[in-house]
Amino acid sequence: MQTLYITHPACHLHEMGSWHPECPERLDAINDQFLASGIAGLLRSCEAREAGEADLLRVHTHAHLDFLKKHVPSSGYFEVDPDTYMNPHTLAAALAAAGAGLTAVDEIMNRQAQNAFCAVRPPGHHARPDQAMGFCFLNNIGVAVAYALEKYNLGKVAIIDFDVHHGNGTAEMFANDSRVLMCSFYQNLIFPNVHTEKKSENMLNIPVEAYATGEVVRKLISDHWLPRLQAFEPEFIFVSAGFDAHREDELAQLGLVENDYAWITEQIVAQAEASAQGRVVSFLEGGYNLSALGRSAVAHVKALAKL
């Protein structure tokens, strides 16, 4: 079974202005690096289906969906917050991005693929049940996790988030849900400033200080994530794959490089093979230096596919 590469044309049409770092060129950078590295031809490509309202309502409120539908502009932009804008294509892109995980879960559970990387945007992990924020409109990973739990009656699912910013929306959706273990690291005291977050037993979200290196992050993962994951024995692993902790990314100040993303992914794959029949779905989140993003995504997917 192959690694599945999932995207959708609508994901290129959402944009928030030429100045905005969360831009369509991010997907082009990943695709270009996949072609240049030779891995593109070794993956099976698949177009995402759109998420339906019932899929979204497992984790989002009616009011939130109504807000997004109401504010789709006929032209120009609607400002959700100073960093987050809707253009005429944003909702369609968000529905495709959220649907990518549903497509991946079905393909994997039906044994048509081993694992999947969803190269989609807008990203999702900051989207709260009732609020778009932080470049995110719908919580792509949250939609997929809730779908897998319900449709396939899974008892234990892990969420791994290695974006430099904490996945506050994902944490809010699954706090105190004993079926879910979330493990993340994030740079302390930057957006979304969750240092006051209430602690939940199923959340292992660890802040690290600015300028931490890959060595620091690897030790954190070895000492904290891996023992919890091994004890939890997830049946499926979902990954918020943000590459903005890369040392070349200017939106934060951590010091990871491509080899760190490969190593993190190798640990995820090893745990998936031990307890989850190798089942992993990864979602693109952040990563704004286009060169570093493309190279890091290649390292991540090569490790997923064992190439």
Side-chain angles (χ1 to χ4, degrees), residues 103-194:
T103 303
V105 168
D106 285 343
E107 289 287 308
I108 291 168
M109 293 301 294
N110 293 321
R111 301 187 63 79
Q112 300 303 303
Q114 182 64 67
N115 52 44
F117 176 64
C118 300
V120 292
R121 52 178 296 280
H125 72 154
H126 295 309
R128 302 176 64 208
D130 59 354
Q131 182 186 8
M133 63 180 290
F135 313 166
C136 304
F137 300 89
L138 298 171
N139 195 301
N140 306 326
I141 196 169
V143 169
V145 167
Y147 176 76
L149 288 168
E150 180 177 308
K151 179 169 183 180
Y152 294 101
N153 197 31
L154 298 177
K156 291 187 289 186
V157 164
I159 298 171
I160 306 295
D161 189 327
F162 55 74
D163 192 278
V164 79
H165 303 96
H166 177 49
N168 60 300
T170 312
E172 184 174 350
M173 287 170 177
F174 298 105
N176 299 308
D177 187 333
S178 62
R179 301 171 299 171
V180 177
L181 171 65
M182 180 175 179
C183 299
S184 78
F185 69 84
Y186 59 91
Q187 185 176 325
N188 199 22
L189 300 179
I190 63 170
F191 182 90
N193 297 316
V194 294

Coordinates of all heavy atoms in Angstrom, one line a residue, residues 103-194:
T103 N -11.3 11.9 3.0 CA -10.9 11.1 1.9 C -9.8 10.2 2.4 O -9.8 8.9 2.1 CB -10.4 12.0 0.7 OG1 -11.5 12.8 0.4 CG2 -10.0 11.1 -0.4
A104 N -8.8 10.7 3.1 CA -7.7 9.9 3.6 C -8.1 8.8 4.5 O -7.6 7.7 4.4 CB -6.7 10.8 4.2
V105 N -8.9 9.2 5.5 CA -9.4 8.2 6.5 C -10.1 7.0 5.7 O -9.8 5.8 6.0 CB -10.3 8.8 7.5 CG1 -11.0 7.7 8.3 CG2 -9.6 9.7 8.4
D106 N -11.0 7.3 4.8 CA -11.7 6.2 4.1 C -10.7 5.3 3.3 O -10.8 4.1 3.3 CB -12.7 6.8 3.2 CG -14.0 7.2 3.9 OD1 -14.2 6.8 5.1 OD2 -14.8 8.0 3.3
E107 N -9.8 6.0 2.6 CA -8.8 5.2 1.8 C -7.9 4.3 2.7 O -7.7 3.1 2.3 CB -7.9 6.2 1.0 CG -8.6 6.9 -0.1 CD -8.9 6.0 -1.3 OE1 -8.0 5.3 -1.8 OE2 -10.1 5.9 -1.7
I108 N -7.5 4.8 3.8 CA -6.7 4.0 4.7 C -7.4 2.9 5.4 O -7.0 1.8 5.4 CB -6.0 5.0 5.7 CG1 -4.9 5.8 4.9 CG2 -5.3 4.2 6.8 CD1 -4.4 7.0 5.8
M109 N -8.6 3.2 5.9 CA -9.4 2.2 6.6 C -9.9 1.1 5.6 O -10.1 0.0 6.1 CB -10.6 2.9 7.3 CG -10.2 3.8 8.4 SD -9.2 3.0 9.8 CE -10.4 1.8 10.4
N110 N -10.0 1.5 4.4 CA -10.4 0.5 3.4 C -9.2 -0.2 2.7 O -9.3 -0.9 1.7 CB -11.3 1.1 2.3 CG -12.7 1.5 2.9 OD1 -13.2 0.8 3.7 ND2 -13.2 2.7 2.4
R111 N -8.0 0.1 3.3 CA -6.8 -0.6 2.9 C -6.4 -0.3 1.4 O -5.8 -1.1 0.7 CB -6.8 -2.1 3.1 CG -7.1 -2.4 4.6 CD -7.0 -3.9 4.9 NE -5.6 -4.4 4.6 CZ -4.6 -4.2 5.5 NH1 -4.7 -3.6 6.6 NH2 -3.4 -4.7 5.1
Q112 N -6.7 0.9 1.0 CA -6.3 1.4 -0.3 C -5.0 2.2 -0.3 O -4.4 2.5 -1.3 CB -7.4 2.2 -1.0 CG -8.7 1.4 -1.2 CD -8.5 0.2 -2.0 OE1 -8.0 0.2 -3.2 NE2 -8.9 -1.0 -1.5
A113 N -4.6 2.6 0.9 CA -3.4 3.3 1.2 C -2.9 3.0 2.6 O -3.7 2.6 3.5 CB -3.6 4.8 1.0
Q114 N -1.6 3.2 2.8 CA -1.0 2.9 4.1 C -1.2 4.2 5.0 O -1.5 4.2 6.1 CB 0.4 2.5 4.0 CG 1.1 2.3 5.3 CD 0.5 1.1 6.0 OE1 0.6 -0.1 5.6 NE2 -0.2 1.3 7.1
N115 N -0.8 5.3 4.4 CA -0.9 6.6 5.1 C -1.1 7.7 4.0 O -1.2 7.4 2.8 CB 0.4 6.9 5.9 CG 1.7 6.7 5.1 OD1 1.8 7.1 4.0 ND2 2.7 6.0 5.7
A116 N -1.2 9.0 4.5 CA -1.5 10.0 3.5 C -1.0 11.4 4.0 O -0.9 11.6 5.2 CB -3.1 10.2 3.4
F117 N -0.6 12.2 3.0 CA -0.3 13.6 3.3 C -1.3 14.5 2.5 O -1.4 14.3 1.3 CB 1.2 13.9 2.8 CG 1.6 15.3 3.0 CD1 1.6 15.9 4.2 CD2 1.9 16.1 1.8 CE1 2.0 17.3 4.4 CE2 2.2 17.4 2.0 CZ 2.3 18.0 3.2
C118 N -1.9 15.3 3.3 CA -2.9 16.2 2.7 C -2.3 17.6 2.5 O -2.1 18.4 3.4 CB -4.1 16.4 3.6 SG -5.0 14.8 4.0
A119 N -1.9 17.9 1.2 CA -1.3 19.2 0.9 C -2.5 20.2 0.6 O -2.8 20.4 -0.6 CB -0.4 19.0 -0.3
V120 N -3.0 20.7 1.6 CA -4.2 21.6 1.5 C -4.0 22.9 2.3 O -3.2 23.0 3.2 CB -5.5 20.8 2.0 CG1 -5.8 19.7 1.1 CG2 -5.3 20.3 3.5
R121 N -4.8 23.8 1.9 CA -4.9 25.1 2.6 C -6.3 25.7 2.2 O -6.9 25.4 1.2 CB -3.7 26.1 2.2 CG -3.6 26.2 0.7 CD -2.5 27.2 0.3 NE -2.8 28.6 0.8 CZ -3.6 29.4 0.2 NH1 -4.2 29.1 -1.0 NH2 -3.8 30.6 0.7
P122 N -6.8 26.5 3.1 CA -6.2 27.1 4.3 C -6.0 26.0 5.4 O -6.6 24.9 5.4 CB -7.3 28.0 4.8 CG -8.6 27.6 4.2 CD -8.2 27.0 2.9
P123 N -5.0 26.3 6.3 CA -4.7 25.4 7.4 C -5.9 25.3 8.3 O -6.9 26.0 8.2 CB -3.4 25.9 8.0 CG -3.5 27.4 7.6 CD -4.1 27.5 6.3
G124 N -5.7 24.5 9.4 CA -6.9 24.3 10.3 C -6.7 24.4 11.8 O -7.7 24.6 12.5
H125 N -5.5 24.2 12.3 CA -5.5 23.8 13.7 C -5.8 24.9 14.7 O -5.9 24.7 15.9 CB -4.1 23.1 14.0 CG -2.9 24.0 14.0 ND1 -1.8 23.7 14.8 CD2 -2.7 25.2 13.4 CE1 -0.9 24.7 14.6 NE2 -1.4 25.6 13.8
H126 N -5.9 26.2 14.2 CA -6.3 27.3 15.1 C -7.8 27.5 15.1 O -8.3 28.2 16.0 CB -5.6 28.6 14.7 CG -4.1 28.6 14.9 ND1 -3.5 28.2 16.1 CD2 -3.1 28.9 14.0 CE1 -2.2 28.3 15.9 NE2 -1.9 28.8 14.7
A127 N -8.5 26.9 14.2 CA -9.9 27.1 14.1 C -10.6 26.5 15.3 O -10.5 25.3 15.5 CB -10.5 26.5 12.8
R128 N -11.3 27.3 16.0 CA -12.0 26.8 17.2 C -13.4 26.3 16.8 O -13.9 26.6 15.7 CB -12.1 28.0 18.2 CG -10.8 28.5 18.6 CD -10.9 29.7 19.5 NE -11.6 29.3 20.8 CZ -12.3 30.2 21.5 NH1 -12.6 31.4 21.1 NH2 -12.9 29.7 22.7
P129 N -14.2 25.7 17.7 CA -15.5 25.2 17.4 C -16.4 26.3 16.8 O -17.2 26.1 15.9 CB -16.0 24.7 18.7 CG -14.8 24.2 19.4 CD -13.7 25.2 19.1
D130 N -16.2 27.6 17.3 CA -17.1 28.7 16.9 C -16.4 29.9 16.4 O -16.9 31.0 16.4 CB -18.0 29.1 18.1 CG -17.1 29.5 19.3 OD1 -15.9 29.4 19.3 OD2 -17.7 30.0 20.3
Q131 N -15.1 29.7 16.0 CA -14.3 30.9 15.6 C -13.2 30.6 14.6 O -12.5 29.6 14.8 CB -13.7 31.6 16.8 CG -12.9 32.8 16.5 CD -12.2 33.4 17.7 OE1 -12.2 32.7 18.8 NE2 -11.7 34.5 17.7
A132 N -13.2 31.3 13.5 CA -12.0 31.3 12.6 C -10.9 32.2 13.1 O -11.2 33.3 13.6 CB -12.4 31.7 11.2
M133 N -9.7 31.8 13.0 CA -8.6 32.6 13.5 C -7.3 32.0 13.0 O -7.2 30.9 12.6 CB -8.6 32.7 15.1 CG -8.3 31.3 15.8 SD -8.3 31.4 17.6 CE -6.8 32.3 17.9
G134 N -6.2 32.9 13.1 CA -4.9 32.4 12.8 C -4.7 31.8 11.4 O -4.1 30.7 11.3
F135 N -5.3 32.3 10.4 CA -5.3 31.9 9.0 C -6.2 30.7 8.8 O -6.3 30.1 7.7 CB -3.9 31.4 8.5 CG -2.7 32.4 8.8 CD1 -1.4 32.0 8.7 CD2 -2.9 33.7 9.2 CE1 -0.3 32.8 8.9 CE2 -1.9 34.6 9.4 CZ -0.6 34.1 9.3
C136 N -6.9 30.2 9.8 CA -7.7 29.0 9.8 C -9.2 29.2 9.8 O -9.6 30.1 10.6 CB -7.3 28.0 10.9 SG -5.5 27.6 11.0
F137 N -10.0 28.5 9.1 CA -11.4 28.7 9.0 C -12.2 27.5 9.5 O -13.1 27.6 10.3 CB -11.8 29.0 7.6 CG -11.2 30.3 7.1 CD1 -10.0 30.2 6.4 CD2 -11.8 31.5 7.3 CE1 -9.4 31.4 6.0 CE2 -11.2 32.7 6.8 CZ -10.0 32.6 6.2
L138 N -11.8 26.3 9.1 CA -12.3 25.0 9.6 C -11.1 24.2 10.1 O -10.0 24.2 9.5 CB -13.0 24.3 8.4 CG -14.2 25.0 7.8 CD1 -14.7 24.3 6.6 CD2 -15.4 25.1 8.8
N139 N -11.4 23.4 11.1 CA -10.3 22.6 11.7 C -10.2 21.3 11.0 O -10.9 20.3 11.3 CB -10.6 22.4 13.2 CG -9.3 22.0 13.9 OD1 -8.8 20.9 13.6 ND2 -8.9 22.8 14.9
N140 N -9.3 21.2 10.0 CA -9.2 20.1 9.1 C -8.9 18.8 9.9 O -9.6 17.8 9.7 CB -8.1 20.3 8.1 CG -8.3 21.6 7.3 OD1 -9.4 22.0 7.1 ND2 -7.2 22.3 7.0
I141 N -8.0 18.8 10.8 CA -7.6 17.6 11.6 C -8.7 17.3 12.5 O -9.0 16.1 12.7 CB -6.2 17.8 12.3 CG1 -5.7 16.4 12.7 CG2 -6.3 18.8 13.4 CD1 -4.2 16.5 13.2
G142 N -9.4 18.2 13.1 CA -10.5 18.0 14.0 C -11.6 17.3 13.3 O -12.2 16.3 13.8
V143 N -12.0 17.7 12.1 CA -13.0 17.1 11.3 C -12.7 15.7 11.0 O -13.6 14.8 11.2 CB -13.2 17.9 10.0 CG1 -14.1 17.2 9.0 CG2 -13.8 19.3 10.3
A144 N -11.5 15.4 10.7 CA -11.1 14.0 10.3 C -11.0 13.1 11.5 O -11.5 12.0 11.5 CB -9.7 14.0 9.7
V145 N -10.5 13.6 12.7 CA -10.5 12.8 13.9 C -11.9 12.4 14.3 O -12.2 11.2 14.6 CB -9.8 13.5 15.0 CG1 -10.0 12.9 16.3 CG2 -8.3 13.6 14.7
A146 N -12.8 13.4 14.4 CA -14.2 13.1 14.8 C -14.9 12.1 13.8 O -15.6 11.2 14.3 CB -15.0 14.4 14.8
Y147 N -14.6 12.3 12.5 CA -15.1 11.3 11.5 C -14.6 9.9 11.8 O -15.4 8.9 11.8 CB -14.8 11.8 10.2 CG -15.2 10.9 9.0 CD1 -16.5 10.9 8.6 CD2 -14.2 10.2 8.3 CE1 -16.8 10.1 7.5 CE2 -14.5 9.4 7.2 CZ -15.9 9.3 6.8 OH -16.2 8.6 5.7
A148 N -13.3 9.8 12.0 CA -12.8 8.4 12.2 C -13.3 7.8 13.5 O -13.6 6.6 13.5 CB -11.2 8.5 12.3
L149 N -13.4 8.6 14.5 CA -14.0 8.0 15.8 C -15.4 7.5 15.6 O -15.8 6.5 16.1 CB -13.9 9.1 16.8 CG -12.5 9.5 17.4 CD1 -12.6 10.7 18.2 CD2 -11.9 8.3 18.2
E150 N -16.2 8.3 14.9 CA -17.6 7.9 14.7 C -17.8 6.8 13.7 O -18.4 5.8 13.9 CB -18.5 9.1 14.4 CG -19.9 8.8 14.2 CD -20.8 10.1 13.9 OE1 -20.7 11.0 14.7 OE2 -21.5 10.0 12.9
K151 N -17.3 7.0 12.5 CA -17.6 6.1 11.4 C -17.0 4.8 11.6 O -17.6 3.7 11.3 CB -17.2 6.7 10.0 CG -17.5 5.7 8.9 CD -17.3 6.3 7.5 CE -17.7 5.3 6.4 NZ -17.6 5.8 5.1
Y152 N -15.7 4.7 12.1 CA -15.0 3.5 12.2 C -14.9 3.0 13.7 O -14.2 2.0 13.9 CB -13.6 3.6 11.6 CG -13.7 3.8 10.1 CD1 -13.6 5.1 9.5 CD2 -14.0 2.8 9.2 CE1 -13.7 5.3 8.2 CE2 -14.1 3.0 7.9 CZ -14.0 4.2 7.3 OH -14.1 4.4 6.0
N153 N -15.6 3.7 14.5 CA -15.8 3.2 15.9 C -14.4 2.9 16.6 O -14.2 2.0 17.3 CB -16.6 1.9 16.0 CG -17.2 1.7 17.4 OD1 -17.4 2.6 18.2 ND2 -17.3 0.4 17.8
L154 N -13.5 3.9 16.3 CA -12.2 3.7 16.9 C -12.2 4.1 18.4 O -13.0 5.0 18.8 CB -11.2 4.6 16.2 CG -10.9 4.3 14.7 CD1 -10.0 5.3 14.1 CD2 -10.4 2.8 14.5
G155 N -11.4 3.4 19.2 CA -11.4 3.7 20.6 C -10.3 4.6 21.1 O -10.4 5.3 22.1
K156 N -9.2 4.7 20.3 CA -8.0 5.5 20.7 C -7.3 6.1 19.5 O -6.9 5.3 18.6 CB -7.0 4.6 21.5 CG -7.6 4.2 22.9 CD -6.5 3.5 23.7 CE -6.2 2.1 23.2 NZ -5.2 1.4 24.1
V157 N -7.3 7.4 19.4 CA -6.7 8.1 18.3 C -5.7 9.1 18.9 O -6.0 9.8 19.9 CB -7.8 8.8 17.5 CG1 -7.2 9.9 16.6 CG2 -8.6 7.8 16.7
A158 N -4.5 9.2 18.3 CA -3.5 10.2 18.7 C -3.5 11.4 17.7 O -3.6 11.1 16.5 CB -2.1 9.6 18.8
I159 N -3.3 12.6 18.2 CA -3.0 13.8 17.4 C -1.6 14.3 17.7 O -1.3 14.5 18.9 CB -4.0 14.9 17.7 CG1 -5.5 14.4 17.3 CG2 -3.7 16.1 16.9 CD1 -6.5 15.3 17.8
I160 N -0.8 14.4 16.7 CA 0.6 15.0 16.9 C 0.6 16.3 16.1 O 0.2 16.4 15.0 CB 1.6 14.0 16.2 CG1 1.5 12.6 16.8 CG2 3.0 14.6 16.4 CD1 1.8 12.5 18.3
D161 N 1.0 17.3 16.8 CA 1.1 18.7 16.2 C 2.5 19.2 16.4 O 2.9 19.5 17.5 CB 0.1 19.6 16.9 CG -0.1 20.9 16.2 OD1 0.9 21.4 15.6 OD2 -1.2 21.5 16.2
F162 N 3.3 19.3 15.3 CA 4.6 19.9 15.4 C 4.8 21.3 14.7 O 5.9 21.7 14.4 CB 5.7 18.9 14.9 CG 5.6 18.3 13.5 CD1 5.9 19.1 12.4 CD2 5.2 17.0 13.3 CE1 5.8 18.6 11.1 CE2 5.1 16.5 12.0 CZ 5.4 17.3 10.9
D163 N 3.6 21.9 14.5 CA 3.7 23.3 14.1 C 4.3 24.2 15.2 O 4.2 23.8 16.4 CB 2.2 23.8 13.8 CG 2.2 25.1 13.1 OD1 2.3 26.2 13.8 OD2 2.0 25.1 11.9
V164 N 4.9 25.3 14.8 CA 5.6 26.1 15.8 C 4.5 26.9 16.7 O 4.9 27.3 17.8 CB 6.5 27.2 15.1 CG1 5.7 28.3 14.5 CG2 7.6 27.6 16.1
H165 N 3.3 27.0 16.2 CA 2.2 27.6 17.0 C 1.3 26.5 17.5 O 1.0 25.5 16.9 CB 1.4 28.5 16.1 CG 2.2 29.6 15.5 ND1 2.7 29.5 14.2 CD2 2.6 30.8 16.0 CE1 3.4 30.6 13.9 NE2 3.3 31.4 14.9
H166 N 0.9 26.7 18.8 CA 0.0 25.7 19.4 C -1.3 25.5 18.7 O -2.0 26.5 18.3 CB -0.2 26.0 20.9 CG -1.2 25.1 21.6 ND1 -1.0 23.7 21.5 CD2 -2.3 25.3 22.3 CE1 -1.9 23.2 22.2 NE2 -2.7 24.1 22.7
G167 N -1.7 24.3 18.5 CA -3.0 24.0 17.8 C -4.2 24.2 18.8 O -4.8 23.2 19.3
N168 N -4.4 25.4 19.2 CA -5.4 25.7 20.2 C -6.8 25.2 19.9 O -7.6 24.7 20.8 CB -5.4 27.2 20.5 CG -5.8 28.0 19.3 OD1 -5.1 28.0 18.3 ND2 -6.9 28.8 19.4
G169 N -7.2 25.3 18.6 CA -8.5 24.9 18.2 C -8.7 23.4 18.4 O -9.7 22.9 18.9
T170 N -7.7 22.6 17.9 CA -7.7 21.2 18.1 C -7.8 20.8 19.5 O -8.6 19.9 19.9 CB -6.5 20.6 17.4 OG1 -6.3 21.1 16.1 CG2 -6.6 19.1 17.3
A171 N -7.0 21.4 20.4 CA -7.0 21.1 21.8 C -8.3 21.4 22.4 O -8.8 20.6 23.2 CB -5.9 21.9 22.5
E172 N -8.9 22.5 22.0 CA -10.3 22.8 22.6 C -11.3 21.8 22.2 O -12.2 21.4 23.0 CB -10.7 24.2 22.1 CG -12.0 24.7 22.7 CD -12.3 26.1 22.3 OE1 -11.4 26.8 21.7 OE2 -13.4 26.5 22.5
M173 N -11.2 21.3 21.0 CA -12.2 20.3 20.5 C -12.1 19.0 21.2 O -13.2 18.3 21.4 CB -12.0 20.1 19.0 CG -12.5 21.2 18.2 SD -12.0 21.1 16.4 CE -12.8 22.6 15.8
F174 N -10.9 18.6 21.7 CA -10.8 17.2 22.2 C -10.3 17.2 23.6 O -10.0 16.1 24.2 CB -9.8 16.4 21.3 CG -10.4 16.2 19.9 CD1 -9.9 17.0 18.8 CD2 -11.4 15.4 19.6 CE1 -10.4 16.9 17.6 CE2 -12.0 15.2 18.4 CZ -11.4 16.0 17.3
A175 N -10.3 18.3 24.3 CA -9.9 18.3 25.7 C -10.8 17.4 26.5 O -12.0 17.4 26.3 CB -9.9 19.7 26.3
N176 N -10.2 16.6 27.4 CA -10.9 15.7 28.2 C -11.7 14.5 27.5 O -12.5 13.9 28.1 CB -11.9 16.4 29.1 CG -11.2 17.4 30.0 OD1 -10.3 17.1 30.7 ND2 -11.6 18.7 30.0
D177 N -11.4 14.3 26.2 CA -11.9 13.2 25.5 C -10.9 12.0 25.7 O -9.9 12.1 25.1 CB -12.1 13.6 24.0 CG -12.8 12.5 23.2 OD1 -12.8 11.3 23.6 OD2 -13.5 12.8 22.2
S178 N -11.3 11.0 26.4 CA -10.4 10.0 26.7 C -10.0 9.1 25.5 O -9.1 8.3 25.6 CB -11.0 9.1 27.8 OG -12.2 8.5 27.4
R179 N -10.7 9.3 24.4 CA -10.4 8.5 23.2 C -9.2 9.1 22.5 O -8.7 8.5 21.5 CB -11.6 8.4 22.3 CG -12.8 7.8 22.9 CD -14.0 8.0 22.0 NE -14.3 9.4 21.8 CZ -15.2 9.9 20.9 NH1 -15.9 9.1 20.1 NH2 -15.4 11.2 20.8
V180 N -8.9 10.4 22.8 CA -7.9 11.1 22.1 C -6.7 11.5 23.0 O -6.9 12.0 24.1 CB -8.5 12.4 21.5 CG1 -7.5 13.3 20.8 CG2 -9.7 12.1 20.6
L181 N -5.5 11.3 22.5 CA -4.3 11.8 23.1 C -3.7 12.8 22.1 O -3.4 12.5 21.0 CB -3.3 10.7 23.4 CG -1.9 11.1 23.9 CD1 -2.0 11.8 25.2 CD2 -0.9 10.0 23.9
M182 N -3.5 14.1 22.6 CA -2.8 15.1 21.8 C -1.4 15.4 22.3 O -1.3 15.6 23.5 CB -3.6 16.3 21.7 CG -3.0 17.4 20.8 SD -4.0 18.9 20.7 CE -3.0 20.0 19.7
C183 N -0.4 15.3 21.5 CA 1.0 15.6 21.8 C 1.5 16.7 20.9 O 1.4 16.6 19.7 CB 1.9 14.4 21.7 SG 1.5 13.0 22.7
S184 N 2.0 17.8 21.5 CA 2.5 18.9 20.7 C 3.7 19.5 21.4 O 3.8 19.4 22.6 CB 1.5 19.9 20.3 OG 1.2 20.8 21.4
F185 N 4.5 20.2 20.6 CA 5.4 21.3 21.2 C 5.1 22.5 20.4 O 4.5 22.5 19.3 CB 6.9 20.9 21.0 CG 7.4 20.9 19.6 CD1 7.8 22.1 19.0 CD2 7.5 19.7 18.9 CE1 8.3 22.1 17.7 CE2 7.9 19.7 17.6 CZ 8.3 20.9 17.0
Y186 N 5.4 23.6 21.0 CA 5.1 24.9 20.3 C 6.0 26.0 21.0 O 6.4 25.8 22.1 CB 3.7 25.4 20.4 CG 3.1 25.5 21.8 CD1 3.2 26.7 22.5 CD2 2.6 24.4 22.5 CE1 2.7 26.8 23.8 CE2 2.1 24.5 23.7 CZ 2.1 25.7 24.4 OH 1.7 25.9 25.7
Q187 N 6.3 27.0 20.2 CA 7.2 28.1 20.8 C 6.3 28.9 21.8 O 5.2 29.3 21.6 CB 7.7 29.0 19.7 CG 8.6 30.1 20.3 CD 9.2 31.0 19.2 OE1 9.5 30.5 18.1 NE2 9.4 32.2 19.5
N188 N 6.9 29.1 23.0 CA 6.2 29.7 24.1 C 6.0 31.2 23.8 O 6.8 31.9 23.2 CB 7.0 29.6 25.4 CG 6.2 29.8 26.6 OD1 5.0 29.7 26.6 ND2 6.9 30.1 27.7
L189 N 4.8 31.7 24.2 CA 4.5 33.1 24.3 C 4.5 33.8 22.9 O 4.8 34.9 22.7 CB 5.5 33.9 25.2 CG 5.5 33.4 26.7 CD1 6.6 34.2 27.4 CD2 4.2 33.5 27.3
I190 N 4.1 33.0 21.9 CA 3.8 33.6 20.6 C 2.3 33.2 20.3 O 1.7 32.4 21.0 CB 4.7 33.2 19.5 CG1 4.7 31.7 19.2 CG2 6.1 33.6 19.8 CD1 5.4 31.2 18.0
F191 N 1.8 33.7 19.2 CA 0.4 33.4 18.8 C 0.2 31.8 18.9 O 1.0 31.1 18.4 CB 0.1 33.8 17.4 CG -1.3 33.6 16.9 CD1 -2.3 34.5 17.1 CD2 -1.6 32.4 16.3 CE1 -3.6 34.3 16.7 CE2 -2.9 32.1 15.9 CZ -3.9 33.1 16.1
P192 N -0.9 31.4 19.5 CA -2.1 32.1 20.0 C -2.0 32.4 21.5 O -3.1 32.6 22.1 CB -3.2 31.2 19.7 CG -2.7 29.8 19.8 CD -1.2 29.9 19.4
N193 N -0.8 32.4 22.1 CA -0.7 32.8 23.5 C -1.5 31.9 24.4 O -2.4 32.4 25.1 CB -1.0 34.3 23.7 CG 0.0 35.1 22.9 OD1 1.2 34.9 22.9 ND2 -0.5 36.1 22.3
V194 N -1.3 30.6 24.5 CA -2.1 29.7 25.2 C -1.5 29.3 26.5 O -1.8 28.2 27.1 CB -2.4 28.4 24.4 CG1 -3.3 28.8 23.2 CG2 -1.1 27.8 23.9

